[in-house]
Amino acid sequence: MTDPRAQLQRAVRTGVGLDVADLGSPTIPSELVRSVLIEESVLHGGKHLDPRGLRLTGVTLEGDLDLASISGLPSLVLGGVTIQGSLDLSYSTISGALNIEGGAVRAQLDGSGLTVTRHVYICDVDFGHQAGTRHAGEILLNKATIGDYLQLYVDVADVVLSDATVGGGNGEFDGEAVSIGLPGSHFSSVDLNRSSFDSSVALTGSFDRGITMRGVRVLGTLDLGSAIVTGSLARGRLTDETLFVDAIEAVAETIVLPEEAPEGAGIDLTDAAFGRVVVHVVGPENRPVGGRVDATAAWTLGSLEMINRDERPEATPVPTMSSNEAAALIAWLPTGQGRGFPVMAWRALAVALDGEGRESEARWLRIEAADRYKRATAGSPWARAGRAITKTTIGHGYSPFRALAWLGGLWVVATALAVVSWRVGDDAFINSSGVANPPGLWEYLYALDITVSPVGSFQSDIWMPTWWWLALAFWCLKAASYALFGLFIAGLTGRAMKAS
């Protein structure tokens, strides 16, 4: 009769693998596997272990497989193995890889604090508590350290990778170094809080209770494009019914936001730092479809790009910010949701546009951001009127040369008044200087004296309007010119302070 213990010891020492036919029985106790691994790894110091590790195929393990807190475990390769209880690898060390393909784990895989020198690959494993029951169980890899890649191609209720560290190697498989889910995969939630990944990360499938990745660090692309968020997530003790992706303080070279999200879905990128933010849009108006970033108060980003699903699959720069093609993208930017307008989030995008050489668009965005902030805080009619005047004349200090354009308009109006009055009415102006033979009234110089006060040609000193409405009109033009000069100087000062 076949001795399961002897067969397991032989499999661990030779690495040739152990099939259900080799055991003579489809079922063995999980405790037997544990005792053999402890004996070979701990008691014998691992000197008999084959580098290929323990390879089991088609076996059913009774009860929980408890391999917690064991140093020096060999590679574990489980093909079509059913574990009738949980798989506990917490705070153990695997000198090799963890491969689980097919079969089942009838509770949870607990790899909290696990250290794996190579990779973790889990594919097509049934985590249902009973046979045929899907979308249950969980994979816990919080505080785990994985030297190579991580690929989880399963359906499971929860994936917890908080405080985990994953290397960037991916020499055996194509694709992302960290992949969670396949098209059609179903999860309740994924937790990547404070994790660190040395290469790109891709999440695929549907997520019933959102995605949380506060403080995640990704050296590469954080690709959520194929992630479909269908429900809101809880943040601490409070539940924000409109928040679907919580990525506060996340850092990545590129983040691709979800391609699909329900109406009103929210994404919080507050204090995040991204080299590129890619958003999916549809239609000629470039309408974003992957959820709003309205909860974002401030972020740092190098560029904002879009993928138009109706036109092209690759990311392209956003159109001119002030154009109709960008109107939907502007509406998608954070507005604060009643918590005060997040002006810093808009300024960060303006900085990104500056970096792309799009200074005029950046200035327009800064003006728009400042105006929306003033609009959110202006309560009285006088404050609202001041906001409108400031935006029109100097763009809240970001474009003071607008005031000079308005001065040019005043000069044109003053010139037209002088021309019409001088040539139509003989008594519109009188000589008020006492000069016997004064020069004629040169309309354009007269208008320059009125509207550009520092410039003097003495035309306005010589000629005085006699019609009351004409004198009032010139007085109003002069008052307006003084105000515009003051705004121009204030705008230049403010722009210099903002630049510094």
Side-chain angles (χ1 to χ4, degrees), residues 3 8 17 27 73 86 119 151 156 158 165 201 234 249 272 359 363-364 450 483:
D3 181 1
L8 285 169
T27 304
L73 285 172
S86 63
H119 63 264
Q151 295 176 328
V156 67
D158 299 298
T165 301
V201 177
E249 296 180 348
E359 291 87 355
R363 188 180 310 115
W364 179 88
I450 295 294

Side-chain angles (χ1 to χ4, degrees), residues 3-241:
D3 181 1
R5 172 177 289 275
Q7 290 288 75
L8 285 169
Q9 288 175 331
R10 178 177 176 273
V12 171
R13 293 180 178 184
T14 63
V16 297
L18 188 62
D19 191 88
V20 62
D22 301 322
L23 288 167
S25 171
T27 304
I28 60 175
S30 296
E31 181 60 31
L32 180 60
V33 177
R34 168 184 166 82
S35 64
V36 169
L37 286 173
I38 290 178
E39 179 180 343
E40 297 298 326
S41 303
V42 180
L43 299 182
H44 293 167
K47 60 183 179 181
H48 300 306
L49 293 175
D50 188 278
R52 288 171 290 184
L54 176 60
R55 302 166 65 202
L56 295 179
T57 305
V59 180
T60 297
L61 303 181
E62 295 178 326
D64 298 331
L65 179 54
D66 183 0
L67 301 177
S69 303
I70 301 176
S71 299
L73 285 172
S75 291
L76 299 178
V77 181
L78 308 180
V81 173
T82 296
I83 302 174
Q84 293 182 340
S86 63
L87 172 57
D88 190 351
L89 293 165
S90 58
Y91 298 98
S92 291
T93 300
I94 296 178
S95 300
L98 174 62
N99 281 57
I100 307 177
E101 187 167 0
V105 177
R106 294 294 177 213
Q108 68 178 11
L109 190 161
D110 187 354
S112 304
L114 173 68
T115 298
V116 181
T117 60
R118 292 177 60 196
H119 63 264
V120 172
Y121 177 78
I122 303 175
C123 177
D124 195 27
V125 178
D126 185 356
F127 280 88
H129 290 285
Q130 298 176 355
T133 303
R134 315 274 306 168
H135 317 321
E138 57 188 355
I139 296 176
L140 305 178
L141 290 171
N142 49 299
K143 298 183 180 180
T145 300
I146 301 170
D148 211 335
Y149 59 85
L150 168 67
Q151 295 176 328
L152 306 177
Y153 299 136
V154 292
D155 285 346
V156 67
D158 299 298
V159 175
V160 180
L161 275 167
S162 56
D163 300 291
T165 301
V166 182
N170 192 23
E172 299 182 20
F173 294 92
D174 294 331
E176 306 294 339
V178 178
S179 296
I180 299 176
L182 292 168
S185 294
H186 199 115
F187 303 91
S188 289
S189 66
V190 169
D191 180 354
L192 304 180
N193 287 343
R194 301 172 303 279
S195 295
S196 177
F197 304 100
D198 289 345
S199 189
S200 297
V201 177
L203 271 61
T204 305
S206 62
F207 302 85
D208 291 341
R209 289 191 281 114
I211 302 168
T212 175
M213 50 183 64
R214 287 193 175 201
V216 69
R217 299 290 187 271
V218 179
L219 295 180
T221 299
L222 178 55
D223 189 352
L224 308 179
S226 298
I228 304 172
V229 288
T230 59
S232 58
L233 56 88
R235 299 199 291 183
R237 297 181 179 179
L238 303 178
T239 298
D240 188 338
E241 295 181 353

Side-chain angles (χ1 to χ4, degrees), residues 250-276:
V251 176
E253 293 178 5
T254 298
I255 181 171
V256 181
L257 296 180
E259 183 176 351
E260 293 185 23
E263 188 69 25
I267 301 172
D268 193 344
L269 305 178
T270 297
D271 295 329
F274 302 117
R276 297 166 65 228

Side-chain angles (χ1 to χ4, degrees), residues 221 252-256 273-278 300-305 315-316:
T221 299
E253 293 178 5
T254 298
I255 181 171
V256 181
F274 302 117
R276 297 166 65 228
V277 173
V278 181
T300 300
L301 65 158
S303 66
L304 176 63
E305 301 179 16
T316 58

